[in-house]
Amino acid sequence: MTVTIVGSQLGDEGKGGVVDIYGDGADVVVRYQGGDNAGHTVVLGEETYKLSLVPSGAVRGTVGVLGNGCVVNPETLFEEIDALRERGLDPDVRVAERAHVILPYHRVLDGIEEEAKDDLAAGTTKRGIGPTYEDKAGRRGVRVGDLLDPEVLRERLEYVVPQKRALASEVYGVDPDEAFDVDALFETYREYGERLADEEMTVNCSDYLNRRLDDGDDVVFEGAQGTALDIDYGVYPYVTSSNPSAGGVAVGAGVAPAVVGDGDVIGIVKAYLSRVGTGPLPTELGGVEGQTPGYDGPADADDEAESLAAYIRDEGGEYGTVTGRPRRVGWLDMPMLRHAARTSGFTGIVVNHVDTLAGLDEVTVGHSYTMTTRDGETRELDTMPPTTEQWARCEANLRTFDGWPDVDWADVVDAGWEGLPEAARTYLTYVSEELDVDLYAVGVGPGREETIVLEDPFD
Ligand code: IMP
């Protein structure tokens, strides 16, 4: 059977930790979209592993697969595998031959295009994700399978690289460096292909996974980013270039929708909101320069929203795993969660970072929106509107809950649900009832022993 883990918000919901818990009972963990823009943290005892490409299960010895919906930077892949090996692990990672390869020019172009976009820039991780998916859709990409065949690789590079050189120099006025050199790229990427072949890492992903499922194996699909960053369902254009929502699994891993739908689809929720990147954010507290639209520092040094944001940011360690950027912070946004739950068909949710909010007098959520149209009319919404311009016109209708105390969370985990402070239970029950899905687990710290597991989808 399968279990799908999907981010419900804007990424960084703590999916890696949940995959670590539920993936422990699984035989295979599969990434179905994205690339090394993800930042998944797995805490194992005293050790912390920060992974951006290798599926989280690899830390525990579970087979990790990068599905054909992923974009793969071989340099990052081998760096992560080598780093894990140096720490005494033996990760078993397979890569779909149909997955597309991130080449150095994709990274360079990601940076150049972001600068050129100005206000439309998504604040990308500059890992070359968008330009690689562009080439995939433009049918000029290089796939993992091409790295194994030097003749095909050279042919592909000879076609595409001159176009990229021209784009860099003639459109953007940037001097193309070795990232745009066919011979240099050919040598490096042919070697990556040799290593992939030597280590028998490549697979025909759909075939491989379906055979494993036929043999009775359990598979976890590990979503990266979140629903509000989905290229179709997110805050376009401030999104990533793939489909983190559950629909992405069928296409990105080659497993039929009915098979995916037969298993649990679990939405991972952070108890508040965080965001790396630009675009509107109706429940935002304070702002972050360079990311919050129109923000150039606090108007007033004693601003309450700013201090709350700073407090939550520090308590929650809200700094980008990949980029180190401070994250924007806001209250939980229920319309965003309702949208995510519907889009992916959540059968359960896990709420993380409940400990981060402990100690606040009150905890607030954006329960619904009031949207003001261009003609000045107002409309009540319980979900995200389809365009980002409409979203920017939404004001959150807030609901306030009693805060909960900071307690000994290890004791709470031992005691289970009943051990949680009553106000936290009220908050969590509200979220689960509003979404009409069961609460599968509650995270009260980054480690796997800091999670209250209420339901195990593999039981
Ligand atoms: P890209 O995926 O690097 O193209 O970035 C597009 C948008 O998605 C930017 O706003 C990024 O900050 C955001 N993003 C990409 N990956 C993650 C992630 O793993 N966590 C949070 N935000 C992300």
Side-chain angles (χ1 to χ4, degrees), residues 10-12 37-39 110 122-127 129-130 225 229 238-241 275-278 325:
L10 289 145
D12 312 312
N37 49 346
D110 197 357
T124 74
T125 58
K126 302 208 170 102
R127 297 295 194 262
I129 306 295
Q225 293 83 47
L229 291 174
Y238 309 108
V239 291
T240 192
S241 301
R275 164 72 158 137
V276 195
T278 50
R325 289 183 284 180

Side-chain angles (χ1 to χ4, degrees), residues 224-271:
Q225 293 83 47
T227 310
L229 291 174
D230 187 293
I231 188 154
D232 285 280
Y233 299 106
V235 290
Y236 193 90
Y238 309 108
V239 291
T240 192
S241 301
S242 65
N243 290 116
S245 53
V249 177
V251 176
V255 173
V259 175
V260 178
D262 203 30
D264 270 298
V265 177
I266 304 172
I268 314 305
V269 177
K270 183 179 274 186

Side-chain angles (χ1 to χ4, degrees), residues 140-216:
R140 65 181 95 83
V142 174
R143 304 205 293 180
V144 169
D146 303 337
L147 304 183
L148 309 180
D149 186 334
E151 229 172 273
V152 176
L153 177 62
R154 184 164 269 286
E155 195 184 9
R156 296 271 189 276
L157 292 173
E158 278 177 358
Y159 169 70
V160 73
V161 175
Q163 293 182 16
K164 300 297 171 188
R165 288 183 75 87
L167 182 63
S169 60
E170 283 162 38
V171 177
Y172 295 112
V174 173
D175 237 358
D177 55 14
E178 72 277 8
F180 297 81
D181 183 297
V182 174
D183 291 335
L185 291 170
F186 174 74
E187 279 314 316
T188 309
Y189 284 75
R190 188 176 56 85
E191 278 172 27
Y192 287 137
E194 278 170 9
R195 181 162 172 193
L196 286 166
D198 286 349
E199 300 194 18
E200 295 179 3
M201 288 174 67
T202 60
V203 285
N204 183 355
C205 182
S206 171
D207 183 65
Y208 175 79
L209 292 178
N210 280 291
R211 282 176 198 271
R212 300 280 316 230
L213 287 163
D214 288 347
D215 288 345

Side-chain angles (χ1 to χ4, degrees), residues 8-9 267-272 331-341 346 348-352 354 357 363-367 399 401 404 417 423-442:
S8 312
Q9 295 152 317
I268 314 305
V269 177
K270 183 179 274 186
Y272 50 93
W331 293 124
L332 194 68
D333 185 317
M334 290 307 295
M336 183 187 286
L337 292 186
R338 291 188 196 99
H339 169 65
F346 292 161
I349 53 167
V350 173
V351 183
N352 280 325
V354 169
L357 298 181
V363 174
T364 302
V365 302
H367 176 76
R399 272 199 194 179
F401 293 77
W404 47 90
W417 173 253
R425 276 186 278 146
T426 304
Y427 184 78
L428 294 165
T429 304
Y430 159 82
V431 177
S432 146
E433 286 180 354
E434 281 295 321
L435 303 182
D436 197 19
V437 289
D438 290 338
L439 187 61
Y440 274 32
V442 181

